């Protein structure tokens, strides 16, 4: 099929004004250590899943912080919960619980919609 | 007196018994109906076999004598035994007494229960004195058990328990009526004895004391009957349901029924079989080290039964299985926890679709039929000392091996399963099975107890012998392929949870190795009783501080006799202890110890 | 012409601390301060990082412990001329008074970067863009004044790091060292005054070098929910309701982000003060920014190439308050040695 005509260009900018921070706030309540992340990327570099895919805990964490949950559903599923990230994190963030709770929160949100 | 052997006060008792049996029948049928297909098949296969006899024997031992509780805590054991065994003998002997008295086995069912009231003291029947003595003796035994129960309720520490289990309102009614039954029976029988001189050493003595007061007899017999009735009616909704459920549980277990990934009728049986003895509270590291005392198996099971279970209670558990080891009823509460942790999958189910064959598996060796496959496990990649030592050991033994996850593999799936992600875990497992089976190897050696447990107990289609590296090293030593030099070093060995409980009991292999390499120190908690290091992947909700508390408790045991080395065989335990030790012994994996020598 | 043992030019923390030490060693000391009051920048700060000590406490300690009979303090006085005459230094002030002394200590300090020079951040143009110095003044009063009144919205406050630091565009290559930790401190204080607000901090690097700095940073995350975004703000634009939109790259996500804020705090860096620039060039001991150059950074950091001229504090380079105080301590020792040898 030949495509023609115009399509709007989607901006890549994360507009934080339109972000919904409710899930992030809920996550902060459930996994308080989540706040301590300094974005060093240690978790991501040791991640077994990251060896094979683009899956990045750091990216999931950051998107969640910015209140952007759209792509997370697909992403979070790739975690194997092996726990290596837990041993690497310099700030003692409970990364496994963070991923599990993120999954549940995103899942819950998508179900509501 | 009443020779018709009927008085209206027997009605509450009769009513209670009928309700109780109806309740029991409904519950048992529902549970059996809810068994899974495989579980029912198991029952069908084993119902007519020696296993049934073994089950009967175990019922006598556990349900009546409570041997397991005795072993752990003699006072608590006596309490359970005197109440259960004493009461059942009271019923049986009473039945014989009533049958002998009336000359027929099929007398009114209540005659045995209220025998002293209906007995004509002038009638002589065989062994009359013996019966009277026995019945009083048994009543005394039950009362002594009851006294302990009352003491335990108010002073739980006296029984060696640090914390008594909490009760719900329906529990309270059943508890109070149970407490009343036997004192009421004592008073009722004594009053009768006071008038008619038909009591034994206990009831007659008390009767003689009460006789001068000329108390009416019937009201106290009414009270006795009503107490029985209340207990029978409330019992199925309280923890006392364990009395009958445990019997069913023992039979099902003997017939080979096991807990499955999803909830079945067997789960309900296990839940109802908990007697809330509280033994699990005292062995739980969360309680003893981190002061978390509301999530233990007993509370977890109680909350499920009361339908108030919360996510926190479900998740706040190390799955270290110490409670399962200690449970006198043998309830697999950690398995039940995993069932309750089950999480729904995302609908798109796109997880791990990146797992094409090219992405996983070793690319380092073209050898497709080695003798040994070495799977270090995710965690071991953060403890390169273990991997390095294993490579040296393979080399020293001249082993023909392939390091499967040298380039890092996918996870074994157990951490996912522990958190209730069944679909995902199964996907990973299938992938790993495919990977391992693609080699033509004899032995799969892993350095990670989590992987070992997973391969051993959760993987179904693995055509390869699975060994933990302690077992493998021990085998090499025994076969003479590996020389270990004895040194003057002392070791304290920490048993990792995953290979020291339930069906995985790797105790002797590591100890053989360490005895060959030096002196192995005895510990206060070891083997199946070893403490968890705190970092278990089973628990995701503990805070860093709580994990440290649990770790310190385990480390206190290990460092008590100042060993030269704390030795373990789990990368996670090793990392945990290493973090906790500032000065003192070094922490080493058992493979590293071998290399040192 | 009055003669002193030592003339201290600049009555900020460095000058006052040196005056305190030297006057207690019974040296006759003169302090020249160009402002109406002594204390320098200590008068502009509310609380000091990382332990929230009130700046006024430090100033009070210094003034109370200066030995009065050995010290003369002259305010509203700046130095116009300084030259050597017979082994002594002659200092001429703006009132044409002349003083003689064996030694001179330069403690003329720093000025904050003029935020108007970073025009893209709109300081002086948008009312909701302020500097860290402005915020300090607000914190002193205990209220945060938002230019736009509202009651139905959670307030959003942004801190922008490295305004006039590490920025060749504003001519400052150096790191000002104080701003990272200062923003963390101020973010915590803002959250304490307006708990129902969201605070974002945009940074290039977070340089938590000092003792307890990292801990404070951690506390700001853990206890105060301060959000940190790694990325330099590129531009600030006004909204229809007179707030501003920040645009930055979230470098950890490799995605541009934008967000509207009620208040934007520019963490302005440190530049040599006018006095520092004047004196350093008068004495020909200036570097390319106008800072005073010490003789040797490792072993003679309070000496200059001019015998008898000493230097301490932020007229030399970017220092924190405790560092400044310690630098003045060591300057006092150097000066005492110098005077004893005479």
């Amino acid at each position: 099929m030949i495509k023609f005509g115009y399509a709007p260009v989607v901006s890549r900018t994360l507009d934080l004004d339109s972000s919904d921070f409710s899930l992030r706030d809920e996550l902060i309540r459930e996994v308080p250590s989540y706040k301590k992340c300094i974005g060093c990327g240690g978790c991501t570099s040791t991640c077994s899943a990251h060896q094979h895919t683009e899956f990045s805990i750091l990216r999931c964490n950051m998107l969640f912080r910015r209140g952007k949950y759209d792509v997370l559903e697909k992403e979070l599923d790739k975690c194997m919960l092996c726990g290596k990230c837990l041993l690497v994190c310099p700030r003692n963030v409970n990364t496994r619980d963070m991923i599990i709770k993120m999954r549940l929160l995103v899942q819950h949100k998508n179900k509501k919609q | 007196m009443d020779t018709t052997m009927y008085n209206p006060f027997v009605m509450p008792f009769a009513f209670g018994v009928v309700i109780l049996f109806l309740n029991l029948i409904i519950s048992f049928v529902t549970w059996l109906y809810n068994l899974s297909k495989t579980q029912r098949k198991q029952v069908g296969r084993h119902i007519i076999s020696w296993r049934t006899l073994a089950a009967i024997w175990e019922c006598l031992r556990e349900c009546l004598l409570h041997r397991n509780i005795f072993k752990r805590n003699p006072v608590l054991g006596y309490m359970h035994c005197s109440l259960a065994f004493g009461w059942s003998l009271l019923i049986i002997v009473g039945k014989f007494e009533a049958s002998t008295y009336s000359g027929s086995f099929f007398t009114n069912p209540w005659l045995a229960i209220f025998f002293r009231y209906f007995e004509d003291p002038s009638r002589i029947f065989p062994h009359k004195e013996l019966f009277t003595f026995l019945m009083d003796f048994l009543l005394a035994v039950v009362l002594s058990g009851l006294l302990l129960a009352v003491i335990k309720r108010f002073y739980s520490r006296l029984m060696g328990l640090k914390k008594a289990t909490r009760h719900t309102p329906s529990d309270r009614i059943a508890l109070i009526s149970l407490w009343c039954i036997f004192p009421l029976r004592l008073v009722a029988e004594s009053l009768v004895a006071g008038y008619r001189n038909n009591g034994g050493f206990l009831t007659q003595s008390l009767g003689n004391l009460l006789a001068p007061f000329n108390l009416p007899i019937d009201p106290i017999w009414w009270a006795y009957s009503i107490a029985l009735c209340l207990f029978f009616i409330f019992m199925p909704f309280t923890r006392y349901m364990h009395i009958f459920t445990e019997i069913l549980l023992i039979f099902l277990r003997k017939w080979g029924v096991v807990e499955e990934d999803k909830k079945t009728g067997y789960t309900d049986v296990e839940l109802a079989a908990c007697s809330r003895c509280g033994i699990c509270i005292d062995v739980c590291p969360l309680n003893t080290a981190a002061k978390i005392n509301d999530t233990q198996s007993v509370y977890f099971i109680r909350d499920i039964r009361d339908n108030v279970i919360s996510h926190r209670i479900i998740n706040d558990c190390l799955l270290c299985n110490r409670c399962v080891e200690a449970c006198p009823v043998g309830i697999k509460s950690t398995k039940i926890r995993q069932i309750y942790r089950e999480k729904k999958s995302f609908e798109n189910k796109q997880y791990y679709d990146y797992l094409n064959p090219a992405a996983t598996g070793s690319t380092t060796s073209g050898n497709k039929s080695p003798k040994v496959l070495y799977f270090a496990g995710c965690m071991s990649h953060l403890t390169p000392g273990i991997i390095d030592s294993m490579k040296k050991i393979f080399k020293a033994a001249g082993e023909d091996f392939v390091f499967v996850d040298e380039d890092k593999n996918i996870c074994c799936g157990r951490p996912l399963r522990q958190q209730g992600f069944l679909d995902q875990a199964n996907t990973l497992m299938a992938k790993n099975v495919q990977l391992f089976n693609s080699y033509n190897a004899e032995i799969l050696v892993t350095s990670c107890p989590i992987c070992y447990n997973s391969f051993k107990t959760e993987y179904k289609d693995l055509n390869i012998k699975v060994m933990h590296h302690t077992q493998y090293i021990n085998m090499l030593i025994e076969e003479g392929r590996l020389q270990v030099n004895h040194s003057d070093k002392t070791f304290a060995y920490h048993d990792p949870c995953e290979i020291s409980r339930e069906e995985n009991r790797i105790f002797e292999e590591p100890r053989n190795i360490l005895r060959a390499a030096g002196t192995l120190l005895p510990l206060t908690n070891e083997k199946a009783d070893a403490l968890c290091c705190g970092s278990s992947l089973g628990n995701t909700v503990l805070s860093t501080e709580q994990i440290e508390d649990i770790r310190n408790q385990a480390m206190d045991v290990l460092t008590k006799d100042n060993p030269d080395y704390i030795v373990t065989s789990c990368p996670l335990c090793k990392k945990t202890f290493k973090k906790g030790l500032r000065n003192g012994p070094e922490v080493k994996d058992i493979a590293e110890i071998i290399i040192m020598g | 012409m009055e003669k002193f043992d030592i003339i201290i030019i600049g009555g900020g923390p460095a000058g006052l601390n040196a005056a305190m030490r030297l006057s207690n060693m019974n040296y006759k000391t003169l302090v020249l301060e160009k402002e109406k009051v002594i204390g320098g920048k200590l008068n502009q700060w509310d609380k000091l990082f990382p332990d929230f000590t009130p700046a006024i406490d430090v100033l009070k300690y210094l003034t109370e412990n200066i030995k009065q009979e050995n010290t003369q303090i002259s305010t509203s006085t700046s130095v116009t001329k300084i030259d050597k005459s017979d082994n002594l230094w002659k200092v001429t002030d703006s009132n044409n008074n002349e003083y003689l002394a064996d030694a001179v200590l330069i403690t003329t300090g720093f000025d904050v970067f003029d935020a108007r020079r970073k025009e893209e951040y709109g300081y002086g143009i948008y009312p909701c863009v302020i500097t860290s110095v402005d915020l300090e003044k607000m914190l002193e009063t205990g209220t945060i004044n938002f230019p736009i009144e509202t009651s139905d919205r959670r307030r959003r406050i942004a801190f922008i790091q490295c305004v006039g630091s590490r920025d060749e565009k504003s001519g400052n290559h150096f790191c000002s060292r104080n701003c990272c930790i200062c923003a963390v401190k101020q973010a915590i204080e803002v959250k304490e005054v307006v708990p129902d607000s969201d605070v974002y901090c945009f940074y290039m690097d977070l340089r938590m070098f000092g003792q307890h700095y990292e801990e404070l940073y951690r506390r700001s995350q853990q206890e105060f929910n301060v959000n940190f975004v790694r990325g330099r703000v590129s531009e600030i634009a006004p909204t229809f309701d007179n707030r501003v939109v920040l645009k930055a790259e979230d470098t950890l996500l490799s995605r541009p982000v934008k967000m509207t804020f009620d208040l934007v705090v520019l963490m302005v860096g440190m530049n040599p003060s006018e006095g520092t620039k004047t004196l350093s060039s008068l004495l020909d001991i200036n570097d390319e920014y106008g800072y005073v150059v010490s003789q040797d950074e490792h072993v003679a950091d309070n000496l200059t190439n001019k015998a008898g001229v000493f230097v301490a504090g932020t007229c030399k380079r970017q220092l924190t308050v405790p560092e400044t105080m310690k630098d003045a301590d060591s300057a006092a020792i150097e000066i005492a040695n110098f005077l004893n040898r005479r």
Side-chain angles (χ1 to χ4, degrees), chain A residues 12 14 16-17 35 66 91, chain C residues 214 222 225 250 256 260:
Chain A
R12 285 189 74 245
L14 292 173
L16 301 192
D17 290 341
K35 289 186 285 187
R66 308 282 175 255
R91 279 293 187 97
Chain C
E214 183 69 21
Q222 202 163 18
N225 269 334
D250 190 332
T260 311

Side-chain angles (χ1 to χ4, degrees), chain C residues 8 77 108 123 152 172 219 242 261 316 326 334 341:
Chain C
I8 297 171
T77 311
T108 42
Y123 182 63
D152 59 344
N172 290 343
R219 254 184 78 202
N242 289 327
F261 286 93
K316 208 160 52 175
K326 270 155 218 134
E334 290 281 13
R341 267 190 308 239

Side-chain angles (χ1 to χ4, degrees), chain C residues 147-162:
Chain C
I148 313 298
E149 287 300 322
T150 182
S151 55
D152 59 344
R153 191 175 62 223
R154 260 177 91 87
R155 292 295 196 172
R156 287 204 197 128
I157 301 111
F159 287 86
I160 301 179
Q161 297 282 23
C162 297

Side-chain angles (χ1 to χ4, degrees), chain B residues 173-193:
Chain B
I173 298 178
L175 179 78
I176 292 167
S177 50
L178 176 66
W179 282 4
C180 290
I181 290 170
F182 297 100
L184 282 173
R185 178 174 177 146
L186 173 70
V187 175
E189 290 189 345
S190 299
L191 282 177
V192 171

Side-chain angles (χ1 to χ4, degrees), chain A residues 33 36 45-53 55 72-74 76-88 91-94 96-98 100-104 106-108 110-111, chain B residues 315 343-355 359-360 378-379 381-382 407-411 415-416 418-419 421 424 428 536-542 544 548 571-572 575 579:
Chain A
S33 62
K36 293 193 289 179
S45 110
T46 195
C47 177
S48 298
H50 190 60
Q51 308 296 318
H52 307 299
T53 70
F55 171 69
L72 284 177
E73 182 174 332
K74 265 187 217 163
L76 289 167
D77 248 350
K78 293 174 182 164
C79 170
M80 300 189 274
L81 284 183
C82 73
K84 277 178 81 183
C85 45
L86 212 56
L87 297 182
V88 170
R91 279 293 187 97
N92 269 338
V93 175
N94 191 344
R96 290 178 81 228
D97 201 28
M98 181 185 90
I100 294 176
K101 297 282 158 64
M102 277 182 182
R103 277 187 99 257
L104 295 178
V106 170
Q107 203 167 23
H108 189 69
N110 291 353
K111 210 183 287 169
Chain B
N315 288 318
K343 295 175 181 71
K344 297 264 175 331
S345 310
F346 281 139
E347 270 161 28
N348 50 26
K349 291 199 176 183
Q350 283 184 328
Y351 36 82
Y352 320 134
D353 56 358
Y354 53 83
L355 295 178
T360 60
C378 299
M379 294 288 183
H381 285 280
L382 290 172
D407 286 341
K408 292 175 188 169
N409 190 51
I410 52 172
C411 174
L416 280 165
Q418 284 182 327
Q419 299 308 326
F421 295 99
Q424 287 92 322
L428 290 184
S536 164
L537 293 183
N539 193 327
T540 57
V541 298
L542 284 178
T544 316
E548 283 170 1
L572 196 49
K575 264 215 128 40
K579 248 193 295 181

Side-chain angles (χ1 to χ4, degrees), chain B residues 529-546:
Chain B
D529 192 33
L531 295 168
C532 176
C533 74
S535 286
S536 164
L537 293 183
N539 193 327
T540 57
V541 298
L542 284 178
S543 72
T544 316
E545 293 75 24
Q546 288 167 327

Side-chain angles (χ1 to χ4, degrees), chain C residues 224-277:
Chain C
F224 295 93
N225 269 334
V226 178
N227 302 284
F228 290 86
V229 184
R230 186 174 176 277
R232 189 175 178 88
V233 172
S234 57
E235 53 193 277
I236 296 181
T239 63
F240 66 94
D241 60 352
N242 289 327
R243 292 186 293 159
V244 285
V245 179
L246 257 61
K247 282 187 197 163
E249 171 77 359
D250 190 332
T251 58
L252 295 175
L253 273 174
S254 300
R255 289 274 292 273
V257 287
K258 61 173 188 178
M259 194 175 201
T260 311
F261 286 93
D262 294 285
L263 196 67
V264 174
V265 183
L266 306 180
M267 300 308 299
V268 282
M270 293 161 91
N271 277 350
S273 68
E274 284 310 312
T276 302
K277 283 190 217 165

